[in-house]
Amino acid sequence: MAGSLHTPVLLEECIRYLKPYSPGVYVDGTLGLGGHTEALLLASAPGGRVIGFDWDESALSRATERLALFGSRFHFQRRNFAELAAGLQDCGISEIDGLLLDVGLSSLQLDLHEGRGFSFQTTATERELADIFYYYGEERQARPIAAAIVAGRQLQPVTTTRALVDLVFAAVPKRFHPKKIHVATKTFQALRIAVNGELENLDRVIDEGVRFLKCGAVVCIISFHSLEDLIVKKRFREHPLLEVVTPRPIMASADEVAVNPRARSARLRVACRRSNRE
Ligand SMILES: C[S@@+](CC[C@H](N)C(=O)[O-])C[C@H]1O[C@@H](n2cnc3c(N)ncnc32)[C@H](O)[C@@H]1O
């Protein structure tokens, strides 16, 4: 994960909405380093439980070490959170008291190590790449970047993060290099969203999660990307079993951003499960 590794974003706000109690059962779909889960376990002592999902092995091993002291109150699953229903069924859980997702950025290396990102940009056409960079990365230099990648890969396969970064760096005129982020950040973000099917995952987890939420229980989703936030906003509004709790997204306070710059672009949306009969 990029930024401040050990500082969970919008933590107080999530706890305020989730209102953890003992012996509630909570799902953290994006365990990461376990910061939010740790707070959920502390707030739901002595009997509350958390099921944590993460598809990243290294995040899981660090989180399980951190959360070992909670014993059987914490359980983890190495899975895509889009498979929430299957994961909960495996644990014999049919109802939950709250669902939390913090779909923050992972580091460039983390996502592209497995090679999926590279094989993807090897097969996509220039037009497809430009669309991905533009829509998923909101990258205004999408076309020159896509052209540079296609020209570059004709000379030599692009198989390392460094090679891809160098191509993007050279493709974007110096005057368009952003000041606050690396010039290649949006390109990598776009590839990550496309390769991982992240928008589809989000869509699916909302659907699956709602079926498990008890009446009155809430789902909290923190996103860092406007497309993700838009999906959350729409799905919360349109879902017949959800009532929107936060008509506008909750943003981090200036104090939180000062300590944790990663929180600057975080948006939290909360919805509450209605009863079937309403
Ligand atoms: C920003 S971190 C979460 C940080 C966490 N809330 C904390 O307090 O430490 C996001 C995590 O979600 C995981 N992740 C992202 N998409 C996922 C998915 N579809 N399924 C499972 N894990 C996912 C990433 O591997 C990463 O570890």
Side-chain angles (χ1 to χ4, degrees), residues 15 18-26 39-50 73 95-98 214-217:
I15 296 296
L18 285 161
K19 298 191 182 73
Y21 70 95
S22 174
V25 177
Y26 301 88
L40 281 169
L41 286 163
L42 288 171
S44 66
R49 287 194 290 154
V50 178
R73 292 180 56 210
E95 283 190 322
I96 59 173
D97 295 277
K214 287 184 187 164
C215 288

Side-chain angles (χ1 to χ4, degrees), residues 92-278:
I93 289 172
S94 55
E95 283 190 322
I96 59 173
D97 295 277
L99 169 62
L100 171 71
L101 291 170
D102 165 16
V103 284
L105 298 183
S106 308
S107 72
L108 312 181
Q109 287 77 10
L110 203 68
D111 294 311
L112 295 180
H113 256 168
E114 294 174 40
R116 286 179 298 168
F118 292 111
S119 53
F120 184 82
Q121 57 85 11
T122 310
T123 52
T125 64
E126 182 174 332
R127 174 73 194 268
E128 285 165 346
L129 286 175
D131 282 351
I132 285 166
F133 299 153
Y134 184 76
Y135 290 110
Y136 294 166
E138 294 169 326
E139 171 60 73
R140 302 180 109 178
Q141 300 297 314
R143 280 167 184 270
I145 292 172
I149 290 174
V150 169
R153 77 188 180 194
Q154 276 161 5
L155 296 174
Q156 200 176 4
V158 184
T159 54
T160 63
T161 304
R162 186 74 251 163
L164 193 51
V165 166
D166 289 348
L167 280 174
V168 176
F169 190 89
V172 178
K174 256 285 163 38
R175 64 183 187 284
F176 294 132
H177 282 210
K179 293 197 177 54
K180 289 197 174 156
I181 55 172
H182 189 279
V183 64
T185 298
K186 290 181 170 183
T187 302
F188 278 83
Q189 170 185 299
L191 277 176
R192 195 200 78 208
I193 289 176
V195 171
N196 293 343
E198 294 192 7
L199 303 182
E200 295 80 2
N201 289 338
L202 200 50
D203 219 38
R204 205 172 132 195
V205 70
I206 294 175
D207 237 22
E208 299 212 347
V210 172
R211 290 196 270 130
F212 284 84
L213 282 180
K214 287 184 187 164
C215 288
V218 304
V219 44
C220 289
I221 304 187
I222 302 169
S223 59
F224 292 77
H225 186 287
S226 56
L227 281 179
E228 288 171 340
D229 182 54
L230 194 64
I231 287 182
V232 177
K233 178 177 158 185
K234 279 189 67 168
R235 299 292 282 129
F236 278 6
R237 277 198 187 157
E238 289 164 2
H239 202 293
L241 289 176
L242 285 179
E243 188 173 333
V244 172
V245 175
T246 51
R248 288 170 184 281
I250 310 238
M251 311 283 289
S253 65
D255 285 353
E256 178 171 356
V257 174
V259 186
N260 181 11
R262 192 176 92 81
R264 193 183 340 114
S265 48
R267 299 177 183 93
L268 167 66
R269 290 189 186 267
V270 185
C272 174
R273 164 78 201 245
R274 310 174 194 266
S275 99
N276 288 334
R277 284 184 296 279
E278 272 176 53

